[in-house]
Amino acid sequence: MTTIHQAMVLAAGLGTRLRPITDTMPKPLVPVAGKPMIDYALDALADAGVTRAAVNVHHFADRMEAHLKAYPRMEILVSDERAALMNSGGGLARGLKLLHPGLAYVMNADLFWIGERPGEKTNLERLAEFFDPPRMDMALLCVPLDRTTGHNGKKDFQLDPDGRLFRYREGGDNPVVYAGAIVMHSSLLDDAPADAFNLNVYFDRAIESGRLYGLVMDGQWITVGTPEALPEAEAVIARHMAEA
């Protein structure tokens, strides 16, 4: 089994849709069912064997740094974007430079899941095992629309029977939502520009070469993008806890 020990967590966004909550705190520290949002991502990484992570910060950066310093389950290196936001791709490229060359997880700090099967491999462990560098640039964790909470209904990709991902087109088979987790080799971004850019550039490049793959996750996926989504997320978590 492939164990990946390092990760990059994208946590520098402004969380504008979550205002007014994010007027007084960074989005990754917004509590969901009593737990800061980013800790769901960090705990999932720690459960999968990650011991070292880079996390980018911008909005309320001092508060983010203090929280990350106190997180007990792994070493965390801060990728400082106080001066300027680097967007998803630029932030990832900069953060990866703090890690060792090699395989890494990439996680969004504001997307997480619950309800993995007890005693079985976690979603991230399954994704690491699924990733096949000779065939793939990136392996993305995906989720069907009917197992999302707080999502706007957008279908990101269609998942072919062989595991390849393509941009979703209306009427396409097997639509899925990108669940905010990737396995990749850090060298993929060696040629990345030094300024801000969107990670979709690399998704599309991988699609063109037939090297973007997806794995369907277990459990229920949760995103909290607006204040209205917060009680919905907490109700799903409470229901899951009651059933567990």
Side-chain angles (χ1 to χ4, degrees), residues 58-103:
H58 174 82
H59 191 47
F60 291 101
D62 291 349
R63 289 181 63 177
M64 284 292 295
E65 284 202 74
H67 181 80
L68 296 170
K69 186 176 181 181
Y71 184 78
R73 298 186 63 191
M74 68 181 71
E75 176 191 7
I76 295 181
L77 308 170
V78 171
S79 182
D80 194 334
E81 294 185 19
R82 282 176 174 85
L85 281 168
M86 297 294 292
N87 206 327
S88 55
L92 174 57
R94 180 182 287 187
L96 286 174
K97 289 180 171 61
L98 300 176
L99 304 175
H100 301 299
L103 295 179

Side-chain angles (χ1 to χ4, degrees), residues 127-187:
L127 191 64
E129 197 170 74
F130 173 74
F131 182 60
D132 182 13
R135 292 188 300 131
M136 306 176 190
D137 284 348
M138 290 182 278
L140 275 55
L141 197 64
C142 299
V143 60
L145 205 57
D146 62 359
R147 285 198 277 120
T148 67
T149 296
H151 186 56
N152 60 10
K154 182 176 180 288
K155 301 162 185 172
D156 296 321
F157 299 102
Q158 61 187 62
L159 182 62
D160 277 13
D162 67 355
R164 279 190 180 90
L165 289 173
F166 298 90
R167 292 290 181 186
Y168 179 74
R169 293 181 180 175
E170 197 58 44
D173 293 332
N174 203 15
V176 291
V177 176
Y178 167 49
I182 305 169
V183 170
M184 56 173 280
H185 195 283
S186 61
S187 61

Side-chain angles (χ1 to χ4, degrees):
M1 177 179 160
T2 302
T3 300
I4 299 174
H5 296 290
Q6 59 181 2
M8 172 65 195
V9 181
L10 299 169
L14 296 172
T16 52
R17 291 189 307 123
L18 201 51
R19 288 174 177 162
I21 299 171
T22 48
D23 287 338
T24 57
M25 68 172 64
K27 183 178 181 182
L29 296 190
V30 172
V32 182
K35 180 173 172 177
M37 213 181 298
I38 192 172
D39 285 8
Y40 287 95
L42 294 174
D43 286 351
L45 290 166
D47 290 345
V50 170
T51 57
R52 193 169 192 250
V55 182
N56 61 350
V57 300
H58 174 82
H59 191 47
F60 291 101
D62 291 349
R63 289 181 63 177
M64 284 292 295
E65 284 202 74
H67 181 80
L68 296 170
K69 186 176 181 181
Y71 184 78
R73 298 186 63 191
M74 68 181 71
E75 176 191 7
I76 295 181
L77 308 170
V78 171
S79 182
D80 194 334
E81 294 185 19
R82 282 176 174 85
L85 281 168
M86 297 294 292
N87 206 327
S88 55
L92 174 57
R94 180 182 287 187
L96 286 174
K97 289 180 171 61
L98 300 176
L99 304 175
H100 301 299
L103 295 179
Y105 290 111
V106 182
M107 288 277 285
N108 286 4
D110 58 352
L111 310 171
F112 60 94
W113 51 84
I114 59 172
E116 292 173 316
R117 298 169 190 170
E120 297 191 17
K121 291 172 185 171
T122 69
N123 284 321
L124 292 180
E125 287 171 329
R126 290 175 56 235
L127 191 64
E129 197 170 74
F130 173 74
F131 182 60
D132 182 13
R135 292 188 300 131
M136 306 176 190
D137 284 348
M138 290 182 278
L140 275 55
L141 197 64
C142 299
V143 60
L145 205 57
D146 62 359
R147 285 198 277 120
T148 67
T149 296
H151 186 56
N152 60 10
K154 182 176 180 288
K155 301 162 185 172
D156 296 321
F157 299 102
Q158 61 187 62
L159 182 62
D160 277 13
D162 67 355
R164 279 190 180 90
L165 289 173
F166 298 90
R167 292 290 181 186
Y168 179 74
R169 293 181 180 175
E170 197 58 44
D173 293 332
N174 203 15
V176 291
V177 176
Y178 167 49
I182 305 169
V183 170
M184 56 173 280
H185 195 283
S186 61
S187 61
L188 183 67
L189 267 68
D190 282 352
D191 65 347
D195 54 358
F197 69 93
N198 195 293
L199 190 54
N200 278 302
V201 170
Y202 279 82
F203 288 170
D204 289 337
R205 188 181 294 180
I207 288 170
E208 286 173 15
S209 58
R211 293 178 58 84
L212 190 70
Y213 280 73
L215 179 73
V216 174
M217 55 161 271
D218 293 328
Q220 183 76 15
W221 182 77
I222 297 172
T223 179
V224 182
T226 64
E228 296 74 30
L230 192 53
E232 183 183 1
E234 292 182 330
V236 167
I237 293 169
R239 190 160 61 244
H240 169 73
M241 296 295 287
E243 293 170 356

